[in-house]
Amino acid sequence: MFDGDIEGMGYVANVSRLWAHLPAALNDIADLMGRTVDAGGLSPTQRAVLVTATASTLGDSYCSMAWGKRLASETSPHVAAAVVDGELDGLEPAERALARWAQLVTRNPNAITVDDVQALRNAGYD
C-alpha cells in the first residue's frame, strides 16, 4: 500500500497509514463505493464533483484537496479550486446541480425539499 502511494504520489498518504492496519476492510469499502457509483451511473467527473463539494462543505481540507486534485484532472485546476471554495459557476449545469445537492445535504439533510430533488431530476439525474 505504501509502495503504491510513493510510486503514484511521491509520499505515503495519511489515509494509507490508517487503512494499513486493516487493508481488507479498505478493499471492501472500495468495492462498495465502486458498486454504488456504478449503480448511480456517475462519471468520474461527476463523482469528483460530488465528493469535492461534500468535503469542502464539511470543511475537510484533506479530502477537499485529494478529491479536488482528481476534479482538476477531470476538468481544470480553476474549476476544482472554485468547487473547493464553494463556487459552482465553472461547472456544467448537470454538475452544478449535483454539487449544489451535495452542499445542501451536507449542510442540513433534513431541510431538503421536493424542489431540491426536482432540480436534480431537471438536470438529468434519476
Side-chain angles (χ1 to χ4, degrees), residues 88-100 119-120 122-125:
L88 309 179
D89 294 335
L91 296 171
E92 297 295 322
E95 294 165 354
R96 189 177 314 116
L98 192 60
R100 182 176 179 278
L120 282 175
N122 293 345
Y125 298 102

Side-chain angles (χ1 to χ4, degrees), residues 60 63 79:
D60 182 337
C63 287
V79 169

Side-chain angles (χ1 to χ4, degrees), residues 2-80:
F2 293 175
D3 291 342
D5 280 4
I6 290 170
E7 186 176 313
M9 299 179 296
Y11 62 92
V12 176
N14 289 340
V15 72
S16 296
R17 294 177 196 281
L18 170 72
W19 286 108
H21 295 282
L22 191 55
L26 175 59
N27 293 336
D28 292 345
I29 288 173
D31 288 345
L32 175 61
M33 288 188 306
R35 287 193 310 273
T36 302
V37 169
D38 289 346
L42 296 177
S43 71
T45 300
Q46 291 167 328
R47 183 177 182 201
V49 165
L50 184 64
V51 178
T52 302
T54 300
S56 65
T57 302
L58 282 171
D60 182 337
S61 59
Y62 185 86
C63 287
S64 293
M65 297 311 292
W67 279 91
K69 182 178 177 182
R70 288 185 190 190
L71 181 57
S73 71
E74 293 290 331
T75 58
S76 73
H78 175 75
V79 169

Side-chain angles (χ1 to χ4, degrees), residues 81-124:
V83 173
V84 169
D85 284 341
E87 300 296 325
L88 309 179
D89 294 335
L91 296 171
E92 297 295 322
E95 294 165 354
R96 189 177 314 116
L98 192 60
R100 182 176 179 278
W101 169 260
Q103 291 172 333
L104 292 172
V105 169
T106 302
R107 285 187 190 120
N108 190 352
N110 295 318
I112 300 301
T113 66
V114 171
D115 291 339
D116 297 325
V117 175
Q118 189 59 49
L120 282 175
R121 290 185 177 130
N122 293 345

